[in-house]
Amino acid sequence: MRRVLLLLACWGLAVLSHPAGIRSSPVRPYQAPADQEITTEAIRDMKLRLVERINQDRTRMDQPPVSFLGDLSQLADEHCREMLQWDYVSHWNRAGLKPYMRYSSGGITDHTAENIASLKDTSFRPVMGHIWQEMIRRHESLLHEQAPDDLHRKSILNPQHTHVGIGLAYDETGMTLIEVFAGRYLSVAPLPRRAKLSEKVSLRAKSVSRDFKLEGISIFYDELPRPYSAGDLAATHSYGFPDAERILRRRLPSPYVYQGGGAGEIRVDPDESFVCEIEFFKKQPGVYTVVVWLKKDGAENKPFMATDISIFAG
């Protein structure tokens, strides 16, 4: 039995897809015997080869290349292993954490977008050549989506992504693959991932380029996660930020104020470094996720999300 499941990146929908009819490019053979011993170095080499393939696809669409992130890959590996072990496919984990909570808890501050592809196949052969071929097939099934159901493809080709992590797990029953993209535009000072509601937490960060200007900061509130059962996980589809949001704005010079009042909460220095206090605005336990919005110089450019920093407050 062979079953393929694809899950979309942030703001997407779940799609059940079969490889029949996918317009595929020839799979580049893995340059090693198919039965070669599977080592840590060999797995890393396959991941780097997949990043090469992603960059070939991005180059064909005139998009800049992405760089491989080892720490992001390790966190994606953990989720792949859990999904394979417990036979589920979801952006949520068994502890009930969404992707931005998982990656933030592992030390990532960048905004991320996660694509998941899963293959369940009782005839799966966990050997080097076969794993590589299935990695490429899973990637191509994401890449060759057609509008309007093409959010995987948009994530792969998003020009704002600068890095990618590759998660992989496999056994005799199949394989799970994650391509998690990130945009690294800020240098962020260490920030606690757990805090008391009464604690004062400040965000200090600086843009890696003065071409990118701070537009504002959103703080999103989720209730504290609860463990998910198999049924809960099966019922999940897309993920996104909740409706509960507090918006912070860059401070205006005196005597200017924003329409509606207030001069803004974020102090921004000439080098585009900035600092502001993170408000636990619901004043109740939960997960407060800090999303910094940046905008590249130029009237035609739109603001984009640059961070996902989840703080568990209680």
Side-chain angles (χ1 to χ4, degrees), residues 12 110 144 208 222 230 277:
D110 313 308
H144 292 307
V208 299
D222 284 280
E277 184 176 334

Side-chain angles (χ1 to χ4, degrees), residues 191-195 201 278 280 286-290 309-313:
L191 200 66
R193 297 307 198 269
R194 295 191 177 275
V201 177
I278 303 304
F280 300 133
V287 183
Y288 294 81
T289 299
V290 182
I309 305 172
S310 295
I311 303 173
F312 291 70

